[in-house]
Amino acid sequence: MRAPLRLTLLILLLLLPLHTMADWQRIEALKNKVGTETPQTSGLQIGLPLVADDGASVPLKVTFNGTLAADEYISGLYVFASQNPRAEVIEFAFSDAIPRIEVSTRIRLSETQTVYVLAKSNQGNLWLANQDVRVTVSGCLMTDEDGTVTEAQMSQPRIALPRNPKAGEAAELRTMINHPMETGFREDSQGNLIPQQLIESLQVSRGDETLFSVTFNTGTSANPFVAFFLDQFDDLTFTWTDQQGQQLSETR
Amino acid sequence: MTRSILLHKRGLHKLLLATFFASAASLAQAEEFSPAQVQLLAAACANCHGTDGKLADAIPAIAGRPVMVLEAQLQAFKQGLQPNTTVMDRIAKGYTDAELSALANHFANVDKH
Amino acid sequence: MSDNANKISTSRRQLLKGLGLASLFPAISACAATGSSQASAGRVVVIGGGFGGATAAKYIKRGNPAIDVTLVEPNKTFYTCPFSNLVLAGEHQLESIGHNYDELKQVYGVKVVHALAQDIDPVAHRVSLSDGQTLQYDKLLMSPGIDMRWNAIEGYDEAAAELAPHAWKAGPQTLLLRQQLEAMQDGETFIMSVPGNPFRCPPGPYERASLVAHYFKKHKPRSKILILDAKDNFSKQGLFTAGWQAEYGDMIEWVGLSNDGRVVRVDAARREVETEFGTRHQAAALNVIPPQKAGFIAERAGVTDQTGWVPVNPVTFESTLVKDIYVVGDATVAAPMPKSGFAANAQGKVAASAIVAALAGVNPLEPVWANTCYSLINPDYGISVAGVYKVQDNQIIDVEGAGGLSAADASDSVRKAEAAYAVGWYNAITQDTWGTRS
């Protein structure tokens, strides 16, 4: 009895989009990435809360399960926030060794806005998805309560491998590192701009081969957390590099 | 502070007349509140002051107190003039002067018993 | 229009006067009756007898006593989560936070049915109860609270909650956790697992830690409390942290998300938890507050969205997904209003007013809500956070310049006053909701 009513409402909702996909073209960085291609609209899923109580750390999960041709694999995922001071939030790059395209992280959202995710394959095909998030407390502009600025040094790298990994079976790994990810948009209690200090990237490799890498940005939450999938868990090196060129490496 | 109380007293007369003729069907306008609208505004106060503001406990009752006292007290809270206030200043600042006036008038007219 | 427009009975005139609709007589005709008997002003069923539902039932009756109101609540006594932390601390008995439905029945004429609402047919406007009854409604209001997301934390299911209680619904769970705390040896550790937003009562877990610390300070001074949090910030954090240091030294340790505080697995039998990055902790008493969602009946009614919570019209609290169903309290998406008993009571009144207006065929009124959340660091040390909310551009917003936290540098006498006001608030809100007091 409920189904017909819900279906009607769903159809009505689909007929009245809150905004058109063309809105993404106003984001310069996204528009450039897309170029002259026409992105597909299905196959890419965004997991984001509809309402974020705290814009400083909004959990994001991106999953790709669209159709790929033989020898085609997803080589990159790019996340954009339409209203953030800088639209680029975070980027993921995949080798063909990645068994499942599913990544989780935590991002900053300055206000209620639309988050766009672009997926690109090694053959140049594109997929685009978006979701609106209502933010009740801005993630970007709160000053420190006592005016002190946290030291911008990478520390406490953490890696969690799956508990009973089986070679050949895709399973999730988690990584996290402590760092304030100073955006350069904040002011201290005296009103001075706190200089930008970010971790630039995380690289996961085996020997010479880079399996997976992440490019962070001002829209990445402090203490960057990244979860992703592998199906071989031996001989891994995790390297974080900050804007000063400093590196922190861990092996597993 | 005395001057502002007097000003409010004059404003209160105007407010009372406006309320008397206000239409209940329209949503609240700048200076006019229907009795039903005030009732709804006042409902939030019951959480600490009891239904209809009648409960007398650690938190004082507000029902049936003189309208000038209530209005002056609310304004004192809103303007941060009441020393040793704990939470009422933070709450009073969320209401317009017209709303506070209407609330004072509402609770003054509640039968204490 | 019918002739009845001018023949409204004297009693109806009196009711409408009470509602403040005296000037509207020409606008309300007897045609407002929906197809139920013409003598009734409408039938409302309220599901849930907590802060939201009991308040709504009472205020609908206050708004128009001619409306038929039936309240469905499985418990004959309702135990409040607010002040349940004092029971955990051994300061109060469970009975002191129990409330019955006598006033609602005897003074306001609400019909109370002690059964569980199991299903809703929103098209036929019918509620099915666990005792086999079905109730017909013109308007349905539900305040179903929360349900736990079992297995969102690996190993934490309903059975596990009997070994490692959540005590996030007051009553038997509260006593279970109290027993575990009492059984602890001095020097042992109490561990709390706290979820990410949104969840019921944002400052609640930290008040719990405070009051358990108060109990430990007196009876088990060498014991420790470890809070493993899936968040990096929490409500009133600065005030709690300062209060903990002042009153309890280093007894309470808080580990946030970015320091591997998020619990992902529980072994309830062994009272062991594992966090995101593989760290394991063993507890003598374990309190797991799991991720949550709207009470199950909301899902049955079709009012939940993909997040498991209920989106509502901010002016009336009617569901945006299903007509004639109003939802208030923790189950709703009403941010920035917090999930609190105070907010549920406030929303219950707004929804009650909207229902009375809808049944009378008039427009709803403009809502304003206030919220004050009191937390006790100990029974003489109170802190609070307040907010005033209005509707703007069809969203609920925080009124700028209003609300906020207790002062960071408040004196002992202010802390004591706030603790006393917390008690005053509890007595006022329970009187306003059920007509009872501690």
Side-chain angles (χ1 to χ4, degrees), chain C residues 150-170:
Chain C
W150 302 119
N151 298 305
I153 296 177
E154 192 186 325
Y156 198 71
D157 56 13
E158 224 168 331
E162 295 300 306
L163 302 167
H166 48 75
W168 220 242
K169 290 188 189 185

Side-chain angles (χ1 to χ4, degrees), chain B residues 22-28 34-52 54-60 84-87 89-96 99, chain C residues 19-21 23-24 58-59 62 342 345 349-350 353 363-368 370 372 374 384-386 388 390 399 401-406 414 418 420-421 424-425 427-429 431-432 437:
Chain B
S23 156
S26 64
L27 295 173
S34 66
Q37 181 69 70
V38 185
Q39 185 97 29
L40 189 59
L41 271 179
C45 310
N47 295 45
C48 284
H49 293 284
T51 308
D52 294 324
K54 291 186 188 179
L55 193 70
D57 201 282
I59 300 169
N84 297 322
T85 187
T86 57
V87 74
D89 54 342
R90 292 180 259 157
I91 291 180
K93 286 179 178 153
Y95 293 83
T96 63
E99 285 166 341
Chain C
L19 185 60
L21 295 176
S23 59
L24 279 187
K58 168 170 158 171
Y59 275 74
R62 277 168 55 99
F342 198 120
N345 166 297
K349 289 164 187 165
V350 167
S353 165
N363 285 329
L365 297 167
E366 189 92 2
V368 180
T372 304
Y374 283 104
S384 64
V385 62
V388 181
K390 293 186 165 154
V399 175
L405 300 160
S406 305
V414 169
E418 288 227 87
Y421 290 147
W425 162 75
N427 289 332
I429 198 170
Q431 181 276 320
D432 188 42
R437 49 182 293 178

Side-chain angles (χ1 to χ4, degrees), chain B residues 51, chain C residues 48-59 71 73 75-82 96-108 112 114 143 341-342 344-345 425-438:
Chain B
T51 308
Chain C
F51 284 96
T55 303
K58 168 170 158 171
Y59 275 74
L71 176 71
E73 163 57 49
N75 297 301
K76 295 211 171 99
T77 303
F78 186 88
Y79 293 104
T80 59
C81 280
S96 69
I97 56 172
H99 302 272
N100 62 48
Y101 297 93
D102 291 348
E103 185 184 90
L104 278 175
K105 288 189 290 202
Q106 291 155 15
V107 175
Y108 293 97
V112 179
H114 290 300
S143 191
F342 198 120
N345 166 297
W425 162 75
Y426 184 83
N427 289 332
I429 198 170
T430 53
Q431 181 276 320
D432 188 42
T433 305
W434 296 280
T436 56
R437 49 182 293 178
S438 234

Side-chain angles (χ1 to χ4, degrees), chain A residues 1-2 5-6 9 50-51 53-54 57 106 134 136 158-160 163 174-176 178 222-223 225, chain C residues 119-123 154 197 233 257-260 265 276-277 300 305-307 321 333 335-336 395-396:
Chain A
M1 272 298 215
R2 286 189 289 284
L5 189 68
R6 260 170 139 169
L9 287 164
L50 294 179
V51 180
D53 293 76
D54 178 9
S57 181
R106 295 163 191 153
R134 183 157 167 249
T136 53
R158 289 183 171 99
I159 294 152
R163 238 180 315 135
R174 302 182 183 122
T175 66
M176 186 163 73
N178 287 116
N223 308 302
F225 170 91
Chain C
D119 208 353
I120 315 283
D121 184 335
V123 177
E154 192 186 325
N197 292 320
N233 309 292
L257 177 66
S258 295
N259 285 304
D260 194 21
R265 199 168 67 86
E276 222 168 18
F277 289 90
R300 290 283 161 77
D305 66 15
Q306 71 257 41
T307 65
L321 299 175
V333 180
Q395 305 273 23
I396 298 175

Side-chain angles (χ1 to χ4, degrees), chain C residues 191-204:
Chain C
I191 296 182
M192 294 181 63
S193 163
V194 185
N197 292 320
F199 65 98
R200 156 182 281 183
C201 194

Side-chain angles (χ1 to χ4, degrees), chain A residues 201-217:
Chain A
S201 66
L202 163 65
Q203 193 162 292
V204 182
S205 50
R206 178 180 291 118
D208 286 332
E209 196 196 349
T210 302
L211 304 168
F212 170 69
S213 69
V214 188
T215 306
F216 303 111
N217 217 311

Side-chain angles (χ1 to χ4, degrees), chain C residues 187-259:
Chain C
E188 289 186 316
T189 302
F190 170 50
I191 296 182
M192 294 181 63
S193 163
V194 185
N197 292 320
F199 65 98
R200 156 182 281 183
C201 194
Y206 314 97
E207 186 195 62
R208 178 169 291 180
S210 306
L211 289 172
V212 172
H214 175 67
Y215 163 62
F216 283 177
K217 192 171 173 182
K218 290 196 278 190
H219 300 282
K220 296 173 222 265
R222 293 187 303 114
S223 276
K224 298 272 181 248
I225 300 171
L226 174 63
I227 305 173
L228 297 170
D229 208 330
K231 305 183 293 302
D232 275 323
N233 309 292
F234 58 88
S235 176
K236 306 190 193 102
Q237 186 167 2
L239 288 167
F240 272 113
T241 309
W244 291 342
Q245 250 162 14
E247 301 295 309
Y248 308 116
D250 61 358
M251 185 185 276
I252 301 175
E253 185 189 353
W254 175 77
V255 179
L257 177 66
S258 295
N259 285 304

Side-chain angles (χ1 to χ4, degrees), chain C residues 332-414:
Chain C
T332 61
V333 180
M337 286 189 86
K339 293 189 188 299
S340 70
F342 198 120
N345 166 297
Q347 292 162 6
K349 289 164 187 165
V350 167
S353 165
I355 287 173
V356 171
L359 289 174
V362 300
N363 285 329
L365 297 167
E366 189 92 2
V368 180
W369 303 266
N371 180 76
T372 304
C373 269
Y374 283 104
S375 299
L376 294 174
I377 306 261
N378 69 40
D380 288 319
Y381 188 143
I383 56 176
S384 64
V385 62
V388 181
Y389 308 93
K390 293 186 165 154
V391 179
Q392 200 179 82
D393 297 330
N394 209 41
Q395 305 273 23
I396 298 175
I397 54 142
D398 243 305
V399 175
E400 228 182 282
L405 300 160
S406 305
D409 53 357
S411 65
D412 281 353
S413 61
V414 169

